[in-house]
Amino acid sequence: MRFLLSNDDGYFSPGLEALAHALRTLGEVTVVAPERDRSGASNSLTLDRPLIVRRAPNGFYFVNGTPSDCVHLAVTGMLDVQPDMVISGINIGANMGDDTVYSGTVAAATEGYLLGVPSLAVSLVSKSPQDFSAAAYVTRRLVERLLSKPLSRQAVLLNVNIPDLPLPQLKGYRVTRLGRRHKAEPVIPAKNPRGETVYWIGPAGKAAEAGEGTDFHAVAEGYVSITPLQMDLTHYELLPEVEGWLQETGAP
Amino acid sequence: MRFLLSNDDGYFSPGLEALAHALRTLGEVTVVAPERDRSGASNSLTLDRPLIVRRAPNGFYFVNGTPSDCVHLAVTGMLDVQPDMVISGINIGANMGDDTVYSGTVAAATEGYLLGVPSLAVSLVSKSPQDFSAAAYVTRRLVERLLSKPLSRQAVLLNVNIPDLPLPQLKGYRVTRLGRRHKAEPVIPAKNPRGETVYWIGPAGKAAEAGEGTDFHAVAEGYVSITPLQMDLTHYELLPEVEGWLQETGAP
Amino acid sequence: MRFLLSNDDGYFSPGLEALAHALRTLGEVTVVAPERDRSGASNSLTLDRPLIVRRAPNGFYFVNGTPSDCVHLAVTGMLDVQPDMVISGINIGANMGDDTVYSGTVAAATEGYLLGVPSLAVSLVSKSPQDFSAAAYVTRRLVERLLSKPLSRQAVLLNVNIPDLPLPQLKGYRVTRLGRRHKAEPVIPAKNPRGETVYWIGPAGKAAEAGEGTDFHAVAEGYVSITPLQMDLTHYELLPEVEGWLQETGAP
Amino acid sequence: MRFLLSNDDGYFSPGLEALAHALRTLGEVTVVAPERDRSGASNSLTLDRPLIVRRAPNGFYFVNGTPSDCVHLAVTGMLDVQPDMVISGINIGANMGDDTVYSGTVAAATEGYLLGVPSLAVSLVSKSPQDFSAAAYVTRRLVERLLSKPLSRQAVLLNVNIPDLPLPQLKGYRVTRLGRRHKAEPVIPAKNPRGETVYWIGPAGKAAEAGEGTDFHAVAEGYVSITPLQMDLTHYELLPEVEGWLQETGAP
């Protein structure tokens, strides 16, 4: 069993270390992660320059690229054998609802999925986690269950969010849909030393649709949230309406 | 009527210039685009540093950030009035099928959509376009039609791909679903001058699902492809299966 | 006569445009400049990725690299014929005293000089220049004088700083030595939106050695300052002292 | 005794680790180094965004900036007490002759020197060092000698290059001037996957002035080379000639 691990916080992240440690006894672990923090990288691929791989003293590989670059490079060229599973994380901070669009953690797993490998994105719902041990345990158990009984699809993409609670306080698992956030908060203006205005991207919006069945709800209740994801962005419901609109508004 | 324009090729791209020119008589055009080529940027947001806006001699604003940053910054802070529509492009090169996941062109429009603004991503299916005039005309017509009769949803996200043909040879419009590509081609190894191996991300895979109804098919037949997109990545069909799997594989 | 122009403010800078305009009637002008603002780049060369050259609508070439990269690339590979002179600028802001160590404007000229080409760095002493016409005129005159009577060394490197005054108010030229600045001001702490402390590099120190004969003094008096530079950093005066110290402090 | 250490290879470099280890018993060691490889960074300072400091598990601080940024930030704001000495290295690869202009290793030490702190840049003359122990020993001895008997100037900047030889084979120390290199080799063209030409910066030129007394010569003979550096780039010898030229070529 071969695991490919990545993340978006950088190869030195304690969350990644905890993940590697947790999975090592289940199979062969290879880590290929960004050389620096790439949170918010989404599915970006580096197309304007080549990538280089280096090896840290602990055996982790690091790449001067994005989370997607790391998994892409590992699966399509660097590794001799295709991994059986891609696991991205353990991210410091939630990736729920619309966050999944921007998340580099989710993107690393997405890249595995699009390349045909079952993939997990794992996030710990805390901005300053005290302890990765519960999250590492949970991830290990999920991987064991996937190994003992694979989900029927050849490649599945699961987005896992884990409350920052001691293991005994976790209430269990919930299969969820993504919630929705309110619009992002406004950019935050500041001045640089030359007196020019600069803008920081502001925080994500608060949860807007966080009812029963959503990832927001499950985590708030103390459950591990598991959301299966797919990457076909077609808005199928809207196809007939757009079709009608096109006919109605006439010739080109 | 206020239009916010962006792209991922950079503020100096002739495709953006053609777009701005085409829309100027329909309303007020503001361009906020990346200072350099950010193709492949996907929905990445710059979280580790603030952004700065500068103004080019032609009045376009450029930002040291990603396509998503540009639209996010414009809509959530820089512009006094919210735009009525976001249009991203005209991209040099197709954004069909799985490309939409990686595309910065689509991402700029997605950002508008997630912030509640009707948005279009426009791509010209050519690596070295001779002429943006047909694509600019088509975009203008679509915008006019959206203005004359809005689609019912408050904010809709349309992904438009235009064959690189003279206007008279375009066959019309097709409302499509996204096709699928085969897995990406392998990374392309090269040597840097120090003799180290570096890797270029390889080309996207060839079209795998390109049958009737897909964007690939429409464009290949000479039609403008219009695909409505949405950003909820939940794999709804798979929810019951994952639920069953979770119960079957037992206690945590 | 062939001129290679570059700068550190980016290829779109009005100072570069003014410079190109001023020199066009004296010879063939080629502009190869950074694609974005690279102020403070010093002599940095990009060694970890390859560079790409693109051409703007106005014929200027722009490169995804530093000022030194631009001149290096142009002289050692891109141009068919070696330029007769490299001129960098017109920079927005002074490059006097210790600034020369950090300046990308000076670095672009330094790169020409190290590659054997007579080179000028030109800076306008103003943070928000009203008008480049006086500086452009002065630069043109200096170039004409260099053409009519070259300085004896094969390649000379001149650092030119021009007060931001209307031409009639400029008092003339002064050949100067570099002044010295006081230590830089402290870094300026700020908070990012996550509440983490970040630091802006603070302003350069005030002039410390700005007496008669220095560039600071000349410019303050309304003169154009011309300082010949060299790039041998050996501290010759100190060689005997270090030799003595080495002997005195004994065996390895 | 407080030592501030930095480098340009990144905070994870074994050369930096060896340096920290060697100096730890002589005083308090603080490491502030770039988060990634910044070879070739020269004296560049990051002016367009703020810097952030993070702490690695081994206690080293790393910064999303250049070598100069690291020392600048540490000395002008981050550290409570000014360091007594800045040591940069141990670089993997020589920094001799004209290399000093481009080197990030030398730049980190230069920044200390310009901020009034005695500073050393240390480089191991090898592209793939087998062993840092001799270089670490040599550096430690030099620091001890500087502590036992400071050089008379308040702040001195020494550029040290160490042959990649086992300690017993090192022949001793030589105080040297910088040699000179031939012009750099041409850029190396390559193709990116889109078929566009890209250019790698080529290797530095071969030693041109490498006679007795130069750093090139000392190292080639098996000696540790010590070159005192200064940062006043004024070409004093040339001042009278430029003065004469200015008068001769007449009125503005």
Side-chain angles (χ1 to χ4, degrees):
Chain A
M1 190 55 45
R2 295 164 201 277
F3 301 112
L4 172 64
L5 273 52
S6 195
N7 75 349
D8 73 350
D9 288 330
Y11 74 96
F12 44 77
S13 168
L16 180 58
E17 179 66 58
L19 182 61
H21 185 74
L23 297 182
R24 218 160 252 150
T25 56
L26 296 183
E28 189 185 315
V29 169
T30 304
V31 177
V32 185
E35 66 175 0
R36 59 188 180 91
D37 184 358
R38 297 301 292 257
S39 297
S42 187
N43 302 87
S44 61
L45 286 175
T46 300
L47 303 177
D48 61 350
R49 60 174 173 83
L51 305 166
I52 194 161
V53 185
R54 294 209 170 81
R55 197 168 176 278
N58 68 353
F60 289 10
Y61 294 98
F62 58 99
V63 173
N64 58 345
T66 65
S68 300
D69 286 337
C70 291
V71 172
H72 190 100
L73 170 55
V75 173
T76 77
M78 177 189 152
L79 301 180
D80 293 329
V81 184
Q82 177 133 336
D84 299 294
M85 204 177 289
V86 170
I87 305 115
S88 172
I90 300 171
N91 191 59
I92 301 175
N95 280 304
M96 301 190 288
D98 304 326
D99 303 343
T100 50
V101 172
Y102 303 104
S103 165
T105 305
V106 174
T110 299
E111 194 65 21
Y113 168 75
L114 288 172
L115 292 166
V117 185
S119 298
L120 265 76
V122 183
S123 305
L124 183 54
V125 184
S126 164
K127 276 297 169 200
S128 51
Q130 300 307 308
D131 186 0
F132 286 99
S133 65
Y137 177 83
V138 162
T139 309
R140 184 188 157 93
R141 283 295 299 130
L142 282 172
V143 169
E144 284 175 334
R145 290 160 78 158
L146 280 166
L147 296 180
S148 72
K149 180 167 169 46
L151 276 156
S152 63
R153 299 266 175 149
Q154 194 191 356
V156 73
L157 171 59
L158 299 181
N159 185 41
V160 180
N161 281 274
I162 303 168
D164 190 19
L165 295 171
L167 194 56
Q169 293 177 33
L170 286 176
K171 290 209 187 134
Y173 297 82
R174 285 279 159 86
V175 179
T176 56
R177 69 177 188 277
L178 298 174
R180 283 286 167 93
R181 289 194 181 278
H182 282 288
K183 271 191 249 182
E185 299 289 315
V187 288
I188 299 167
K191 291 282 178 190
N192 72 14
R194 305 186 208 180
E196 299 163 323
T197 300
V198 297
Y199 302 90
W200 293 93
I201 297 289
K206 293 216 160 47
E209 186 194 324
E212 184 106 28
T214 65
D215 47 3
F216 289 122
H217 190 267
V219 163
E221 299 283 309
Y223 291 91
V224 174
S225 159
I226 303 176
T227 311
L229 302 183
Q230 54 82 38
M231 298 308 292
D232 180 352
L233 306 180
T234 309
H235 197 326
Y236 288 97
E237 289 172 48
L238 211 60
L239 288 174
E241 183 174 338
V242 177
E243 187 68 62
W245 167 83
L246 197 60
Q247 286 166 12
E248 206 171 333
T249 55
Chain B
M1 190 56 45
R2 294 164 201 277
F3 302 111
L4 172 63
L5 273 53
S6 195
N7 75 350
D8 73 350
D9 288 329
Y11 74 97
F12 44 78
S13 169
L16 180 58
E17 178 67 56
L19 183 61
H21 185 74
L23 298 182
R24 220 161 251 150
T25 56
L26 295 183
E28 188 185 316
V29 168
T30 304
V31 176
V32 184
E35 65 174 1
R36 58 188 181 92
D37 184 359
R38 297 301 293 259
S39 296
S42 188
N43 301 86
S44 59
L45 285 175
T46 300
L47 303 177
D48 60 351
R49 59 174 172 84
L51 305 167
I52 194 162
V53 185
R54 293 208 172 82
R55 197 168 176 279
N58 68 353
F60 289 11
Y61 294 99
F62 58 99
V63 173
N64 57 346
T66 65
S68 300
D69 287 336
C70 291
V71 173
H72 190 100
L73 170 55
V75 174
T76 78
M78 177 189 152
L79 301 181
D80 293 329
V81 183
Q82 176 134 336
D84 299 294
M85 204 178 292
V86 170
I87 304 117
S88 172
I90 299 170
N91 192 59
I92 301 175
N95 280 304
M96 301 190 288
D98 304 326
D99 302 343
T100 49
V101 172
Y102 303 105
S103 165
T105 305
V106 174
T110 300
E111 194 65 21
Y113 168 75
L114 288 171
L115 292 166
V117 185
S119 297
L120 265 76
V122 182
S123 304
L124 183 54
V125 184
S126 164
K127 276 298 171 200
S128 50
Q130 300 307 309
D131 186 359
F132 287 100
S133 65
Y137 177 83
V138 163
T139 308
R140 184 189 156 95
R141 282 296 299 133
L142 281 171
V143 169
E144 284 175 334
R145 289 160 79 157
L146 280 166
L147 296 181
S148 72
K149 180 166 168 50
L151 276 155
S152 64
R153 299 264 175 151
Q154 193 192 356
V156 73
L157 171 60
L158 299 181
N159 185 43
V160 180
N161 280 272
I162 303 169
D164 190 19
L165 296 171
L167 193 58
Q169 293 177 33
L170 285 176
K171 288 209 191 136
Y173 297 83
R174 284 278 160 85
V175 179
T176 57
R177 69 178 186 277
L178 298 174
R180 283 287 167 91
R181 290 193 179 277
H182 283 288
K183 270 191 249 181
E185 299 289 316
V187 288
I188 300 167
K191 292 280 179 192
N192 71 15
R194 306 185 206 182
E196 299 164 323
T197 300
V198 297
Y199 302 90
W200 292 93
I201 298 289
K206 292 216 161 45
E209 186 194 325
E212 182 105 28
T214 66
D215 46 3
F216 289 122
H217 190 267
V219 163
E221 300 284 309
Y223 291 90
V224 174
S225 159
I226 303 176
T227 311
L229 302 182
Q230 54 82 37
M231 297 307 293
D232 180 352
L233 306 179
T234 309
H235 197 326
Y236 287 98
E237 289 172 46
L238 211 61
L239 287 174
E241 184 174 338
V242 177
E243 187 67 63
W245 168 82
L246 197 62
Q247 285 167 14
E248 208 172 331
T249 55
Chain C
M1 188 58 43
R2 294 164 201 278
F3 302 111
L4 172 63
L5 273 52
S6 194
N7 75 350
D8 73 350
D9 288 328
Y11 74 96
F12 45 77
S13 168
L16 181 58
E17 179 65 57
L19 182 61
H21 185 73
L23 298 181
R24 220 160 251 151
T25 55
L26 297 183
E28 188 185 315
V29 168
T30 304
V31 176
V32 184
E35 67 176 358
R36 58 186 181 94
D37 184 358
R38 297 300 293 259
S39 296
S42 188
N43 301 88
S44 59
L45 285 174
T46 300
L47 303 177
D48 61 351
R49 60 175 171 82
L51 305 167
I52 194 162
V53 185
R54 293 208 171 83
R55 197 168 177 279
N58 68 354
F60 289 9
Y61 294 98
F62 58 98
V63 173
N64 58 346
T66 64
S68 299
D69 287 337
C70 291
V71 172
H72 190 100
L73 170 55
V75 174
T76 79
M78 177 190 153
L79 300 181
D80 294 329
V81 183
Q82 175 134 338
D84 299 294
M85 206 178 289
V86 170
I87 304 117
S88 172
I90 299 171
N91 191 61
I92 301 175
N95 280 304
M96 300 190 287
D98 304 327
D99 301 344
T100 49
V101 172
Y102 303 104
S103 164
T105 305
V106 174
T110 300
E111 194 65 20
Y113 168 75
L114 289 171
L115 291 165
V117 185
S119 297
L120 265 76
V122 183
S123 305
L124 182 54
V125 184
S126 165
K127 277 297 170 200
S128 51
Q130 300 308 309
D131 186 359
F132 286 99
S133 64
Y137 177 83
V138 162
T139 308
R140 184 189 157 92
R141 282 297 298 134
L142 282 172
V143 170
E144 284 176 333
R145 290 160 79 156
L146 281 166
L147 296 181
S148 71
K149 180 169 168 47
L151 275 155
S152 64
R153 300 263 176 152
Q154 194 193 353
V156 72
L157 172 59
L158 300 181
N159 185 43
V160 180
N161 281 274
I162 303 168
D164 191 18
L165 295 171
L167 194 57
Q169 292 177 34
L170 286 176
K171 288 209 191 135
Y173 297 82
R174 284 279 160 85
V175 179
T176 55
R177 67 178 188 277
L178 297 174
R180 284 286 167 89
R181 289 194 181 277
H182 282 288
K183 271 191 250 182
E185 299 289 315
V187 287
I188 300 166
K191 292 282 177 190
N192 70 15
R194 306 185 206 180
E196 298 163 323
T197 300
V198 296
Y199 302 90
W200 293 93
I201 298 288
K206 291 217 162 45
E209 187 195 325
E212 182 105 29
T214 65
D215 47 3
F216 289 122
H217 190 267
V219 163
E221 300 283 309
Y223 292 90
V224 174
S225 160
I226 303 176
T227 309
L229 301 182
Q230 54 83 39
M231 298 308 292
D232 180 353
L233 306 180
T234 309
H235 198 325
Y236 287 97
E237 288 172 47
L238 211 61
L239 288 174
E241 184 175 338
V242 178
E243 186 67 62
W245 167 83
L246 196 62
Q247 285 167 14
E248 210 171 330
T249 56
Chain D
M1 189 57 44
R2 294 164 201 278
F3 301 112
L4 172 63
L5 272 52
S6 195
N7 75 349
D8 73 351
D9 288 330
Y11 75 95
F12 44 77
S13 168
L16 181 59
E17 179 65 58
L19 182 62
H21 184 74
L23 298 182
R24 219 162 251 150
T25 55
L26 297 183
E28 188 185 315
V29 168
T30 304
V31 176
V32 184
E35 68 175 357
R36 58 187 181 93
D37 184 358
R38 297 300 293 258
S39 296
S42 188
N43 301 87
S44 60
L45 286 175
T46 301
L47 303 177
D48 60 351
R49 60 175 172 84
L51 305 166
I52 194 161
V53 185
R54 294 208 170 82
R55 197 170 176 280
N58 68 354
F60 289 9
Y61 294 98
F62 58 99
V63 173
N64 58 346
T66 65
S68 299
D69 286 337
C70 291
V71 173
H72 191 100
L73 171 55
V75 174
T76 77
M78 176 190 153
L79 300 180
D80 293 330
V81 183
Q82 176 134 336
D84 299 295
M85 205 177 288
V86 170
I87 305 116
S88 172
I90 298 172
N91 190 60
I92 301 175
N95 281 304
M96 301 190 288
D98 304 326
D99 302 345
T100 49
V101 172
Y102 303 105
S103 165
T105 305
V106 174
T110 300
E111 194 66 20
Y113 167 75
L114 288 172
L115 292 166
V117 186
S119 298
L120 265 76
V122 183
S123 305
L124 183 53
V125 185
S126 164
K127 277 297 170 200
S128 50
Q130 301 306 310
D131 185 0
F132 287 99
S133 65
Y137 177 83
V138 163
T139 309
R140 183 188 157 93
R141 282 296 298 132
L142 281 172
V143 169
E144 285 175 333
R145 289 160 79 157
L146 281 166
L147 296 181
S148 71
K149 181 169 168 46
L151 275 156
S152 63
R153 299 264 175 150
Q154 195 192 349
V156 73
L157 171 59
L158 299 181
N159 185 43
V160 180
N161 280 274
I162 303 168
D164 190 18
L165 295 171
L167 194 56
Q169 291 177 33
L170 285 175
K171 288 209 188 134
Y173 298 82
R174 284 279 159 87
V175 180
T176 56
R177 68 177 187 278
L178 298 174
R180 285 285 167 92
R181 289 193 181 277
H182 282 289
K183 273 190 247 181
E185 299 289 316
V187 288
I188 299 166
K191 291 281 178 191
N192 72 14
R194 304 185 207 179
E196 298 163 323
T197 300
V198 297
Y199 301 90
W200 292 92
I201 297 289
K206 292 216 161 45
E209 187 194 323
E212 183 106 28
T214 66
D215 47 2
F216 289 121
H217 190 267
V219 164
E221 300 282 309
Y223 291 90
V224 173
S225 160
I226 303 175
T227 311
L229 301 183
Q230 54 82 39
M231 297 308 292
D232 180 352
L233 305 180
T234 309
H235 197 326
Y236 286 98
E237 287 172 49
L238 210 61
L239 288 175
E241 185 175 338
V242 177
E243 186 67 62
W245 168 83
L246 196 61
Q247 286 168 13
E248 209 172 330
T249 55

